[in-house]
Structures are given as structure tokens and as C-alpha cells.
Amino acid sequence: MKAAIIVFPGTNRERDMRLALKRASGHEPAMLFHREAALPKGLDLVVLPGGFSYGDYLRCGAMAAQSPIMRAVKDFAAGGGHVLGVCNGFQIMIEAGLLPGGLLRNATLRFLSMDCRLRVERAGTAFTAHWQQGDCFRAPMAHGDGNYFADDATLDRLEDEGLVAFRYVDEASAATAAANRNGSARNIAGILSPNLRVCGLMPHPEDLVDPLMGGVDGLPMFRSLAERLVAA
């Protein structure tokens, strides 16, 4: 799998993402600065990692979405390329129009830094092939603007078309209000594009890919990508 990680001013999770991708695929991903105007040829995957691009000024991800590299990322996605956005990467995706909705301030108006539990709502994609539908796993969250919002028509479409990738759940795997710490609509933690090739989520599976990190709960995502995209 040939992958590239986009680095913006304020990105701080690119090394974690690099480790996750290399551990799963055995290949070193390229690191591309946001001022680049083109992607390397032959890429299988582009990743927008977490952090605080441009210090989260204006709106989280809004300035990064205007970076030169994002034109190439949008063209890559439009051509059927696979794109993963995590936390700030998800915010950038939404600001760039790669995925619908918005990410608002957490309902508590506080920055959340803790583990959460996610339930896999759509199995069988390049991002979730190593899970079964309904599987639950632990993932760290670290964000101040992770409250996913969309109008009812958009939320209904995401549900009806099976484009909700992950949902916040409790220890009993139930999508409760208590499990939904940032207040996201319908407990949505991550979504997919209609062609299932673009995925954005707020929690950080890349931070649990090695026992030394405290667990390997997030490794199935990267193994899924490595196997599916090599096969493709």
C-alpha cells in the first residue's frame, strides 16, 4: 500500500499515523507538506491526520481546507482514491466538502481528552474489513470541536445509505447519551462517502496500534486498509 500523510501547520498526529500505517503495511508512508501542489503518482491512500491546523483559528480545519495540496486531495477523491481523515483531518474534510455536515463545539464546551468506545456500523469497507458489523473497540479522543451536526435530511440519508461508519457507545455497546460525550447527532463518530472510499472520524485509532501504547484496538483499521488497497 502506497500512502501519503498531509502535514499542515499545527498538525501533531502525523508520526502516530505514520507508525500505524507502517506497522500494518510494512511500507513507509510519504509525508507531504500542505504547500505541495500535487500528490505522488500511484498513491493508494491519502491521510489527513489530527492536530490543530493553523491553531484552529476561524473554524477548525477551515484554513487548512484552502491549502494548495487540498485541490489535489479533492481530485484524488473524485477519481476514486481512498482518503482517511482523523480528528482535525475529519474537520478539514468537512470544510473542504469531501464529507457532509459540520463539527461544532463539544456540547460541554470543554476539550475532551479520554478514551471512548466505538461501534462499527458499516463493516466490509476498506476501513472496516477487519471488523464485523456491531464490533466495539476503544479509541482515544482529544478534541474541542467534535460535535457532529447535520440537518435531518442529511442524517437520514447517511443512515439509510449505510454511511455511518462508527457510533459512540457505552460498555454495553448501546448508543446512549452518556456515551456521546461531545453531543454528536445520533452518536455519530465517523462517516463514509457514498462510494465508501472517503472516511472521517473524530477519535484516534492510530493511537492504539501497539501494546506499548496500551492496546491494539485501532490496528484493524490499518490492517484493513493495507490488505484491501494492496488487493485493489
Side-chain angles (χ1 to χ4, degrees), residues 167-183:
R167 219 181 291 270
Y168 297 108
V169 295
D170 62 18
E171 291 295 329
S173 302
T176 62
N180 188 17
R181 296 175 184 270
N182 57 29

Side-chain angles (χ1 to χ4, degrees), residues 116-128:
C116 65
R117 278 178 61 80
L118 302 180
R119 188 174 70 207
V120 178
E121 301 292 87
R122 178 69 183 260
T125 74
F127 307 94
T128 59

Side-chain angles (χ1 to χ4, degrees), residues 78-122:
H82 286 81
V83 185
L84 172 65
V86 176
C87 198
N88 189 226
F90 186 17
Q91 294 164 340
I92 296 169
M93 277 182 165
I94 285 184
E95 291 289 342
L98 287 167
L99 291 170
L103 288 157
L104 309 180
R105 291 286 293 169
N106 295 338
T108 59
L109 302 182
R110 297 175 60 188
F111 188 90
L112 297 172
S113 180
M114 61 192 68
D115 283 353
C116 65
R117 278 178 61 80
L118 302 180
R119 188 174 70 207
V120 178
E121 301 292 87
R122 178 69 183 260

Side-chain angles (χ1 to χ4, degrees), residues 11-90:
T11 296
N12 65 12
R13 298 297 182 110
E14 72 274 19
R15 294 181 182 179
D16 297 345
M17 191 61 72
R18 171 186 166 274
L19 176 66
L21 291 169
K22 187 173 182 180
R23 182 174 177 82
S25 70
H27 298 288
E28 188 79 38
M31 309 294 276
L32 299 180
F33 195 49
H34 75 114
R35 289 181 180 172
E36 298 287 339
L39 298 172
K41 294 190 180 300
L43 282 182
D44 301 303
L45 174 71
V46 172
V47 181
L48 307 179
F52 304 93
S53 59
Y54 291 93
D56 280 349
Y57 290 111
L58 188 59
R59 290 185 311 275
C60 297
M63 295 175 71
Q66 304 304 314
S67 290
I69 195 65
M70 287 306 298
R71 288 190 286 273
V73 173
K74 291 167 74 172
D75 288 344
F76 179 74
H82 286 81
V83 185
L84 172 65
V86 176
C87 198
N88 189 226
F90 186 17

